[in-house]
Amino acid sequence: MLFNSFTFLLFLPLVFVLYWFVFKPLRWQNVLILVASYFFYGWWSWKFMILLAVSTFADYLYGFWVASPNRKKAQFFLWLSVINNLGILGVFKYYNFFALEFKEAFALIGFHTNPVLLKVAIPIGISFYTFHGMSYVFDIYRGKQKPVRNFVDYAVFVSFFPLLVAGPIERANHLLPQIQKKRFFNYAQAVAGCRLMLWGMFKKIVIADSLATIVDSIFNNYQHQSGLTLIIGAIAFSFQIYGDFSGYSDIAMGTAKLFGFELLSNFRFPYFSRDVAEFWRRWHISLSSWFRDYLYIPLGGSKEGKLKAVRNTFIIFLVSGFWHGASWNYIAWGFLHACGFLPLLLLQRNRRHASDVVAQYRKYPTGKELWQMASTFTFVTFAWVFFRAKDMFTAAGYLKGAITNYKHPKEALAYCNVFYYIIPLLLIDWWLRRDERNLSVPKRGKRIVYMVLALLVIFYFGKKTNFIYFQF
């Protein structure tokens, strides 16, 4: 089920009314959320529900075994859980990729094989809910979380419908206590949730989907476009994926607020970042922090010498790229970001913007800050080409055309309407940059602003398009 669909507009109020006015006891509220979540997920395919249930039950059991005081036994089941979760990902998401790569590798040395390929769709959100389960088991092993006795509570943690298919990737010690605690309707929280949902819908339906048409037109015919047009296409995709994914996260956080839950932040205005390190503290925060806590730090982080720090940096960025998809262009995207992050790490500047916001106490950025934001955005946009392209050949051809094709620059004028969507988004983000959840506006113009946003969403509503991160 899509957030931007009429079905969801019927589904959400129904669940909301049942949740607060019919299923009042906590245990029945959790049962309702679980049933609603599986219905929401099963709207695509009931087969996906089976895989989700199996994955959930397996990690529920692993949680008890990993909690054993016998560390050898706990470690054994920890690795079994990791193998189980990565095995699910490997079969459904990466099997065909490796099968074809091995086929080509063997062909180079004279052996010809004909591997059996899986003809199944990748289950939506599989990378997200498997990471939920893995973090739960990891935290139990580390003593940060106790096993959950109530299976329904744990199943809600894994499958809570606002975050099920595209995050944020929650942590057990953050979401589970909210699931296990009695919740009371909070009017202010619900209003804040509605505002977040409206803003998320605006970013997805009005901004991202409008840019998507232009981006597809440029990328699908890049061989015949001028260099300036290709540059505009890359910029447009940067804002398309931002509006699409951050819009989803806003809708997810807003929906969760309606039911009394607070989810982890996933975006904090990443295009106002002054370097690549700050960008990754502001883009897909729940994923980057997951890799930091469960991969980078266990590998030694940056505390065991420069050489290991460099190794660990490349590992997490390459794994992050591969997490997004079984294709070399995603790995190249991760590699580029590792290269951009590396100088900051070696010069010990990767933490210099860890806590502040650009122009935190000023209305406007300085010239230096503008240059830093512009250069970071240019690098990120360059890397996005590999993310958007269907393969490495396409990415290379696109970039070559953007750099070398100076013919017919006036053709780019036909695509300048992308800035009608980009500039307003940037201006609003700049206004909100100090707090991504505070969407309050001056009282004098509050009703007008919200009415304009709502009317725009209604006007553009109707074309049901998947969120980009559903494929991951």
Side-chain angles (χ1 to χ4, degrees):
M1 191 182 300
L2 296 171
F3 284 157
N4 54 326
S5 68
F6 289 106
T7 308
F8 183 73
L9 294 182
L10 296 173
F11 166 83
L12 182 61
L14 176 61
V15 177
F16 178 85
V17 170
L18 291 174
Y19 180 85
W20 288 116
F21 298 103
V22 179
F23 294 80
K24 292 184 178 181
L26 176 62
R27 62 176 181 172
W28 289 113
Q29 284 184 331
N30 287 343
V31 169
L32 174 66
I33 288 293
L34 182 60
V35 171
S37 297
Y38 271 75
F39 179 82
F40 176 88
Y41 191 61
W43 193 258
W44 283 287
S45 171
W46 62 269
K47 296 177 183 178
F48 293 168
M49 292 170 55
I50 296 174
L51 182 62
L52 172 62
V54 170
S55 174
T56 300
F57 187 67
D59 284 322
Y60 171 74
L61 294 178
Y62 284 131
F64 294 106
W65 297 328
V66 168
S68 170
N70 184 327
R71 297 307 286 173
K72 287 187 177 180
K73 178 181 177 181
Q75 192 174 51
F76 171 77
F77 282 107
L78 173 68
W79 279 108
L80 205 59
S81 171
V82 171
I83 293 170
N84 179 77
N85 281 289
L86 294 184
I88 291 173
L89 279 177
V91 170
F92 287 95
K93 192 170 180 177
Y94 301 109
Y95 170 80
N96 286 351
F97 171 78
F98 283 114
L100 293 173
E101 290 301 315
F102 278 120
K103 177 183 178 180
E104 292 186 11
F106 283 125
L108 292 175
I109 57 176
F111 292 96
H112 297 283
T113 60
N114 189 24
V116 177
L117 300 179
L118 294 178
K119 297 181 180 180
V120 294
I122 298 175
I124 293 174
I126 187 172
S127 297
F128 290 92
Y129 66 72
T130 52
F131 270 38
H132 276 128
M134 289 174 67
S135 66
Y136 169 74
V137 176
F138 279 138
D139 285 349
I140 291 175
Y141 180 78
R142 294 175 177 180
K144 295 182 178 181
Q145 172 69 41
K146 292 183 179 180
V148 178
R149 296 287 176 183
N150 190 315
F151 177 73
V152 171
D153 291 351
Y154 174 71
V156 170
F157 160 69
V158 175
S159 62
F160 187 34
F161 73 88
L163 55 78
L164 176 57
V165 292
I169 302 173
E170 274 289 342
R171 305 299 177 86
N173 59 9
H174 179 258
L175 186 56
L176 271 171
Q178 298 182 65
I179 295 171
Q180 296 168 323
K181 182 177 65 176
K182 178 63 179 175
R183 298 176 290 277
F184 300 93
F185 181 74
N186 184 313
Y187 177 77
Q189 185 184 36
V191 170
C194 289
R195 288 173 180 168
L196 269 174
M197 290 180 67
L198 177 60
W199 179 230
M201 289 286 190
F202 173 80
K203 286 198 283 187
K204 165 60 178 173
I205 296 170
V206 180
I207 303 297
D209 287 353
S210 298
L211 290 173
T213 303
I214 302 169
V215 169
D216 291 345
S217 174
I218 295 174
F219 270 82
N220 292 341
N221 301 282
Y222 73 93
Q223 304 96 325
H224 311 293
Q225 306 285 2
S226 68
L228 184 56
T229 299
L230 296 178
I231 291 172
I232 290 175
I235 294 172
F237 178 70
S238 293
F239 284 94
Q240 179 202 347
I241 192 171
Y242 169 59
D244 192 284
F245 194 20
S246 69
Y248 176 93
S249 296
D250 289 341
I251 299 169
M253 290 191 297
T255 303
K257 282 177 177 288
L258 293 179
F259 297 94
F261 294 95
E262 294 291 337
L263 301 183
L264 294 171
S265 294
N266 217 16
F267 288 86
R268 292 196 180 106
F269 313 107
Y271 290 154
F272 297 143
S273 301
R274 288 153 288 183
D275 56 44
V276 175
E278 185 180 11
F279 173 81
W280 279 104
R281 279 190 289 273
R282 296 181 175 278
W283 178 276
H284 203 173
I285 301 167
S286 62
L287 178 67
S288 56
S289 61
W290 197 99
F291 280 122
R292 179 197 65 204
D293 295 342
Y294 299 111
L295 185 59
Y296 184 72
I297 292 176
L299 286 172
S302 57
K303 296 182 178 180
E304 296 184 7
K306 294 287 186 183
L307 190 60
K308 284 191 175 181
V310 171
R311 180 203 67 182
N312 296 340
T313 296
F314 273 96
I315 287 175
I316 63 166
F317 277 108
L318 291 175
V319 171
S320 177
F322 200 47
W323 177 90
H324 283 85
S327 178
W328 286 108
N329 51 304
Y330 290 117
I331 296 174
W333 172 76
F335 177 79
L336 285 171
H337 275 278
C339 293
F341 185 89
L342 191 59
L344 299 168
L345 177 69
L346 295 176
L347 296 173
Q348 297 183 337
R349 294 181 179 178
N350 56 304
R351 302 287 303 173
R352 60 180 175 175
H353 300 304
S355 58
D356 64 329
V357 177
V358 62
Q360 188 162 7
Y361 303 108
R362 291 175 277 109
K363 288 185 178 181
Y364 309 107
T366 64
K368 180 181 179 181
E369 288 171 334
L370 275 173
W371 166 252
Q372 290 172 330
M373 289 188 292
S375 57
T376 302
F377 177 77
T378 300
F379 173 81
V380 169
T381 298
F382 169 78
W384 278 137
V385 172
F386 288 88
F387 194 97
R388 172 58 178 78
K390 63 180 181 179
D391 52 40
M392 291 291 291
F393 177 81
T394 302
Y398 191 100
L399 291 170
K400 180 182 178 181
I403 296 170
T404 63
N405 188 358
Y406 299 105
K407 297 179 180 179
H408 313 297
K410 291 184 179 180
E411 291 179 357
L413 293 175
Y415 296 101
C416 285
N417 58 330
V418 300
F419 297 104
Y420 297 153
Y421 302 100
I422 292 172
I423 292 174
L425 178 61
L426 278 175
L427 292 176
I428 297 172
D429 267 7
W430 183 259
W431 174 267
L432 301 172
R433 72 188 183 282
R434 295 181 182 90
D435 185 355
E436 80 282 3
R437 297 183 189 231
N438 183 14
L439 301 180
S440 59
V441 295
K443 288 185 178 180
R444 184 175 298 177
K446 180 184 298 186
R447 292 182 180 179
I448 296 175
V449 170
Y450 294 141
M451 187 178 296
V452 169
L453 289 178
L455 288 174
L456 285 170
V457 169
I458 293 170
F459 180 78
Y460 282 85
F461 197 86
K463 182 183 178 183
K464 293 187 293 183
T465 56
N466 281 341
F467 289 81
I468 293 174
Y469 265 68
F470 278 17
Q471 62 186 302
F472 307 133

